Amino acid sequence: MPVQTRGTAPPGAHSAGLARFNAAPRAEAEAALLECCGSHRWALRMAAHRPFPDLDALLAASDEAGYDLSPTDIAEALAGETAPCLHHAAPRAAHLALRAAHAAYESRFGHVFVISLDAHRPSQHVDQVLAGIRARLAHDPDEERAVTADEMRRLARERIIELVTDEGPTRGPGRSAPFGML
């Protein structure tokens, strides 16, 4: 259940971060972008198109690159995603329910469940994930591939906003800050 919960940056908060991202050495930019989406093809394309004049242009490029990903590229990106654990103090029943739901999803579709929870309060995350898994288990594989690709694009957008926000990244489990500039 790769979950990224980020709010929108305050106006102007991303300008200095975007400038640092645009000026970063290509290898560092690619590494940072791989933290946003685990597809090398996507990260290479995004890094090659720098500099971006503003956040909107960066997000539009992310969307375009995301729509161009092949099934192999999406599989590569999904392989880098991990399902974060619940807080250790969460009820045992919640841990068990989430673990069982993830196992059922991965058994059916062969990859980790991804969902953007940016629009939901943290207290709603477990319920949203469980509801999302239940609903998406009913999808046929082609439909789920499309939904998964859309969720990956949303996650990439959220992570890019975090990347270029002056406050810097607040990575979830398994994610580290992309490079020292942020």
Side-chain angles (χ1 to χ4, degrees), residues 33-145:
L33 288 163
L34 279 170
E35 290 290 324
C36 298
C37 175
S39 163
H40 282 85
R41 185 168 160 245
W42 180 89
L44 291 170
R45 179 175 172 178
M46 293 292 296
H49 283 89
R50 292 175 310 140
F52 293 98
D54 55 36
L55 180 60
D56 288 339
L58 176 57
L59 294 175
S62 172
D63 287 344
E64 182 180 331
Y67 281 112
D68 290 344
L69 293 178
S70 70
T72 302
D73 297 325
I74 293 171
E76 178 187 29
L78 285 168
E81 297 290 337
T82 58
C85 299
L86 292 174
H87 187 274
H88 70 277
R92 179 167 161 63
H95 285 277
L96 293 173
L98 200 54
R99 200 171 309 134
H102 279 293
Y105 180 90
E106 289 183 30
S107 175
R108 173 144 166 74
F109 296 111
H111 58 79
V112 69
F113 177 78
V114 291
I115 188 170
S116 168
L117 296 172
D118 198 44
H120 302 284
R121 293 188 311 265
S123 63
Q124 299 174 322
H125 288 180
V126 172
D127 292 336
Q128 291 297 319
V129 170
L130 288 172
I133 290 174
R134 281 187 211 110
R136 288 169 56 184
L137 278 170
H139 291 170
D140 66 55
D142 289 336
E143 182 181 16
E144 185 54 25
R145 268 191 289 282

